[in-house]
Short mmCIF file of all heavy atoms in Angstrom, two decimals:
data_model
loop_
_atom_site.label_atom_id
_atom_site.label_comp_id
_atom_site.label_asym_id
_atom_site.label_seq_id
_atom_site.Cartn_x
_atom_site.Cartn_y
_atom_site.Cartn_z
N HIS A 80 40.74 -191.05 143.28
CA HIS A 80 39.58 -191.03 144.18
C HIS A 80 38.33 -190.60 143.48
O HIS A 80 37.33 -190.39 144.19
CB HIS A 80 39.94 -190.21 145.37
CG HIS A 80 40.96 -190.89 146.28
ND1 HIS A 80 42.23 -190.73 146.00
CD2 HIS A 80 40.78 -191.74 147.30
CE1 HIS A 80 42.93 -191.43 146.89
NE2 HIS A 80 42.13 -192.02 147.79
N TYR A 81 38.45 -190.20 142.26
CA TYR A 81 37.21 -189.88 141.46
C TYR A 81 37.34 -190.10 139.99
O TYR A 81 38.51 -190.33 139.55
CB TYR A 81 36.87 -188.28 141.67
CG TYR A 81 37.81 -187.27 141.06
CD1 TYR A 81 37.61 -186.80 139.85
CD2 TYR A 81 38.95 -186.86 141.71
CE1 TYR A 81 38.46 -185.76 139.24
CE2 TYR A 81 39.90 -186.10 141.12
CZ TYR A 81 39.56 -185.51 139.88
OH TYR A 81 40.50 -184.58 139.24
N GLU A 82 36.38 -190.04 139.35
CA GLU A 82 36.32 -190.24 137.97
C GLU A 82 35.64 -189.14 137.16
O GLU A 82 34.55 -188.75 137.46
CB GLU A 82 35.49 -191.58 137.52
CG GLU A 82 35.61 -191.97 136.10
CD GLU A 82 34.79 -193.25 135.93
OE1 GLU A 82 34.43 -193.99 136.74
OE2 GLU A 82 34.45 -193.46 134.59
N ASP A 83 36.29 -188.47 136.39
CA ASP A 83 35.69 -187.44 135.49
C ASP A 83 35.00 -187.96 134.39
O ASP A 83 35.48 -188.54 133.41
CB ASP A 83 36.88 -186.41 134.96
CG ASP A 83 36.35 -185.15 134.31
OD1 ASP A 83 35.20 -184.98 134.29
OD2 ASP A 83 37.18 -184.36 134.15
N ILE A 84 33.57 -187.80 134.48
CA ILE A 84 32.69 -188.41 133.47
C ILE A 84 32.07 -187.17 132.66
O ILE A 84 31.00 -187.38 132.11
CB ILE A 84 31.65 -189.32 134.10
CG1 ILE A 84 30.89 -188.56 135.20
CG2 ILE A 84 32.28 -190.56 134.68
CD1 ILE A 84 29.69 -189.36 135.61
N THR A 85 32.67 -186.05 132.54
CA THR A 85 32.11 -184.85 131.89
C THR A 85 32.14 -185.35 130.39
O THR A 85 33.14 -185.79 129.86
CB THR A 85 33.13 -183.74 131.96
OG1 THR A 85 33.43 -183.41 133.38
CG2 THR A 85 32.60 -182.39 131.48
N PRO A 86 30.99 -185.07 129.74
CA PRO A 86 30.95 -185.37 128.36
C PRO A 86 31.93 -184.62 127.48
O PRO A 86 32.32 -183.60 127.78
CB PRO A 86 29.57 -184.91 127.87
CG PRO A 86 28.77 -184.76 129.14
CD PRO A 86 29.76 -184.54 130.28
N VAL A 87 32.54 -185.35 126.44
CA VAL A 87 33.57 -184.84 125.60
C VAL A 87 33.18 -183.50 125.02
O VAL A 87 34.05 -182.57 124.84
CB VAL A 87 34.02 -185.83 124.58
CG1 VAL A 87 35.16 -185.25 123.71
CG2 VAL A 87 34.53 -187.18 125.28
N GLU A 88 32.02 -183.50 124.62
CA GLU A 88 31.47 -182.22 123.84
C GLU A 88 31.63 -181.11 124.79
O GLU A 88 31.98 -179.90 124.33
CB GLU A 88 30.01 -182.13 123.47
CG GLU A 88 29.51 -183.47 122.84
CD GLU A 88 29.20 -184.73 123.65
OE1 GLU A 88 28.35 -184.63 124.48
OE2 GLU A 88 29.88 -185.71 123.44
N ASP A 89 31.38 -181.11 126.08
CA ASP A 89 31.45 -180.04 126.97
C ASP A 89 32.82 -179.66 127.26
O ASP A 89 33.16 -178.53 127.35
CB ASP A 89 30.74 -180.41 128.41
CG ASP A 89 29.27 -180.58 128.21
OD1 ASP A 89 28.76 -180.18 127.14
OD2 ASP A 89 28.68 -181.11 129.17
N THR A 90 33.72 -180.62 127.34
CA THR A 90 35.15 -180.28 127.50
C THR A 90 35.71 -179.65 126.19
O THR A 90 36.46 -178.61 126.39
CB THR A 90 35.97 -181.59 127.74
OG1 THR A 90 35.30 -182.43 128.63
CG2 THR A 90 37.44 -181.35 127.97
N ILE A 91 35.35 -179.95 125.03
CA ILE A 91 35.72 -179.28 123.86
C ILE A 91 35.16 -177.83 123.83
O ILE A 91 35.98 -176.98 123.43
CB ILE A 91 35.35 -180.13 122.60
CG1 ILE A 91 36.02 -181.40 122.58
CG2 ILE A 91 35.44 -179.24 121.30
CD1 ILE A 91 35.27 -182.31 121.54
N LYS A 92 33.98 -177.67 124.10
CA LYS A 92 33.50 -176.30 124.23
C LYS A 92 34.10 -175.38 125.21
O LYS A 92 34.53 -174.25 124.87
CB LYS A 92 32.01 -176.19 124.66
CG LYS A 92 31.02 -176.81 123.63
CD LYS A 92 29.59 -176.71 124.34
CE LYS A 92 28.60 -177.59 123.43
NZ LYS A 92 27.19 -177.48 124.00
N PHE A 93 34.60 -175.92 126.37
CA PHE A 93 35.25 -175.25 127.33
C PHE A 93 36.70 -174.69 126.75
O PHE A 93 37.12 -173.60 126.84
CB PHE A 93 35.45 -175.98 128.59
CG PHE A 93 36.39 -175.31 129.66
CD1 PHE A 93 35.78 -174.07 130.30
CD2 PHE A 93 37.52 -175.70 129.94
CE1 PHE A 93 36.58 -173.40 131.26
CE2 PHE A 93 38.32 -175.10 130.95
CZ PHE A 93 37.89 -173.96 131.52
N LYS A 94 37.37 -175.73 126.16
CA LYS A 94 38.58 -175.53 125.74
C LYS A 94 38.67 -174.58 124.53
O LYS A 94 39.70 -173.80 124.23
CB LYS A 94 39.40 -176.85 125.39
CG LYS A 94 39.78 -177.53 126.55
CD LYS A 94 40.48 -178.89 126.20
CE LYS A 94 40.82 -179.61 127.47
NZ LYS A 94 41.39 -180.86 127.26
N SER A 95 37.62 -174.78 123.59
CA SER A 95 37.60 -173.77 122.42
C SER A 95 37.39 -172.43 122.70
O SER A 95 37.66 -171.49 121.94
CB SER A 95 36.61 -174.30 121.45
OG SER A 95 35.30 -174.08 121.89
N MET A 96 36.80 -172.14 123.94
CA MET A 96 36.77 -170.72 124.21
C MET A 96 37.97 -169.96 124.38
O MET A 96 38.00 -168.76 124.21
CB MET A 96 35.97 -170.55 125.56
CG MET A 96 34.49 -171.11 125.59
SD MET A 96 33.63 -171.18 127.20
CE MET A 96 33.20 -169.38 127.25
N PHE A 97 39.01 -170.72 124.64
CA PHE A 97 40.37 -170.02 124.90
C PHE A 97 41.12 -169.98 123.53
O PHE A 97 42.22 -169.39 123.50
CB PHE A 97 41.07 -170.80 125.84
CG PHE A 97 40.55 -170.75 127.25
CD1 PHE A 97 39.74 -171.76 127.68
CD2 PHE A 97 40.60 -169.55 128.04
CE1 PHE A 97 39.25 -171.77 128.90
CE2 PHE A 97 39.90 -169.52 129.23
CZ PHE A 97 39.18 -170.60 129.75
N ARG A 98 40.57 -170.36 122.57
CA ARG A 98 41.28 -170.28 121.22
C ARG A 98 40.48 -169.32 120.35
O ARG A 98 40.63 -169.49 118.92
CB ARG A 98 41.27 -171.80 120.54
CG ARG A 98 42.11 -172.73 121.38
CD ARG A 98 42.40 -173.92 120.65
NE ARG A 98 43.39 -174.78 121.27
CZ ARG A 98 43.02 -175.84 121.84
NH1 ARG A 98 41.80 -176.17 121.92
NH2 ARG A 98 44.03 -176.56 122.54
N MET A 99 40.01 -168.35 120.76
CA MET A 99 39.36 -167.39 120.03
C MET A 99 40.35 -166.48 119.28
O MET A 99 41.22 -166.02 119.98
CB MET A 99 38.33 -166.55 120.89
CG MET A 99 37.17 -165.88 120.25
SD MET A 99 35.94 -165.26 121.32
CE MET A 99 36.71 -164.97 122.92
N PRO A 100 40.08 -166.10 118.13
CA PRO A 100 41.02 -165.26 117.43
C PRO A 100 40.99 -163.88 118.09
O PRO A 100 40.03 -163.43 118.36
CB PRO A 100 40.69 -165.35 115.99
CG PRO A 100 39.23 -165.56 116.08
CD PRO A 100 39.00 -166.45 117.17
N VAL A 101 42.22 -163.22 118.12
CA VAL A 101 42.28 -161.89 118.55
C VAL A 101 42.56 -161.06 117.46
O VAL A 101 43.59 -161.23 116.68
CB VAL A 101 43.32 -161.76 119.71
CG1 VAL A 101 43.48 -160.27 120.02
CG2 VAL A 101 43.03 -162.72 120.80
N LEU A 102 41.76 -160.07 117.20
CA LEU A 102 41.98 -159.08 116.08
C LEU A 102 43.11 -158.09 116.43
O LEU A 102 42.92 -157.39 117.54
CB LEU A 102 40.68 -158.42 115.77
CG LEU A 102 39.59 -159.30 115.20
CD1 LEU A 102 38.27 -158.59 114.99
CD2 LEU A 102 39.98 -159.99 113.77
N GLU A 103 44.04 -157.91 115.68
CA GLU A 103 45.05 -157.03 116.03
C GLU A 103 45.19 -155.99 114.82
O GLU A 103 45.05 -156.35 113.59
CB GLU A 103 46.38 -157.68 116.13
CG GLU A 103 46.47 -158.52 117.36
CD GLU A 103 47.82 -159.29 117.60
OE1 GLU A 103 48.77 -158.93 116.82
OE2 GLU A 103 47.98 -159.97 118.42
N ARG A 104 45.56 -154.81 115.14
CA ARG A 104 45.85 -153.74 113.96
C ARG A 104 47.27 -153.46 114.11
O ARG A 104 47.86 -153.46 115.17
CB ARG A 104 44.92 -152.65 114.30
CG ARG A 104 43.44 -152.86 114.08
CD ARG A 104 42.57 -151.65 114.29
NE ARG A 104 42.89 -150.43 113.64
CZ ARG A 104 42.43 -150.28 112.33
NH1 ARG A 104 41.68 -151.12 111.71
NH2 ARG A 104 42.73 -149.09 111.70
N ASP A 105 47.66 -153.00 112.80
CA ASP A 105 49.17 -152.64 112.79
C ASP A 105 49.31 -151.36 113.60
O ASP A 105 48.53 -150.50 113.62
CB ASP A 105 49.46 -152.40 111.35
CG ASP A 105 49.52 -153.63 110.49
OD1 ASP A 105 49.76 -154.77 111.10
OD2 ASP A 105 49.21 -153.58 109.32
N ARG A 106 50.42 -151.33 114.30
CA ARG A 106 50.75 -150.20 114.89
C ARG A 106 50.86 -148.88 114.15
O ARG A 106 51.31 -148.90 112.94
CB ARG A 106 52.17 -150.44 115.74
CG ARG A 106 52.48 -149.25 116.80
CD ARG A 106 53.74 -149.71 117.44
NE ARG A 106 54.10 -148.59 118.33
CZ ARG A 106 53.92 -148.48 119.58
NH1 ARG A 106 53.36 -149.51 120.12
NH2 ARG A 106 54.34 -147.48 120.25
N GLY A 107 50.14 -147.85 114.57
CA GLY A 107 50.33 -146.54 113.85
C GLY A 107 49.20 -146.50 112.82
O GLY A 107 49.08 -145.37 112.15
N THR A 108 48.27 -147.33 112.64
CA THR A 108 47.10 -147.26 111.70
C THR A 108 46.01 -146.45 112.32
O THR A 108 45.06 -146.00 111.51
CB THR A 108 46.67 -148.57 111.25
OG1 THR A 108 46.29 -149.34 112.50
CG2 THR A 108 47.67 -149.37 110.54
N GLY A 109 46.04 -146.10 113.63
CA GLY A 109 44.93 -145.30 114.18
C GLY A 109 43.70 -146.11 114.48
O GLY A 109 43.68 -147.39 114.40
N ARG A 110 42.66 -145.40 114.90
CA ARG A 110 41.39 -146.08 115.13
C ARG A 110 40.66 -146.56 113.96
O ARG A 110 40.95 -145.94 112.90
CB ARG A 110 40.51 -145.00 115.81
CG ARG A 110 41.03 -144.70 117.21
CD ARG A 110 40.22 -143.48 117.81
NE ARG A 110 38.73 -143.91 117.91
CZ ARG A 110 37.76 -143.13 118.52
NH1 ARG A 110 38.26 -142.02 119.16
NH2 ARG A 110 36.60 -143.61 118.52
N PRO A 111 39.84 -147.50 114.05
CA PRO A 111 39.27 -148.13 112.91
C PRO A 111 38.15 -147.08 112.46
O PRO A 111 37.45 -146.47 113.28
CB PRO A 111 38.46 -149.38 113.44
CG PRO A 111 38.77 -149.43 114.86
CD PRO A 111 39.87 -148.44 115.27
#
Side-chain angles (χ1 to χ4, degrees):
H80 293 82
Y81 70 94
E82 182 181 347
D83 190 354
I84 57 173
T85 307
V87 178
E88 313 80 62
D89 293 348
T90 307
I91 292 170
K92 284 180 192 174
F93 175 70
K94 288 181 180 177
S95 68
M96 293 178 79
F97 297 103
R98 293 198 175 100
M99 203 165 27
V101 178
L102 297 172
E103 294 182 9
R104 292 180 55 84
D105 293 330
R106 188 175 173 98
T108 57
R110 292 176 52 175

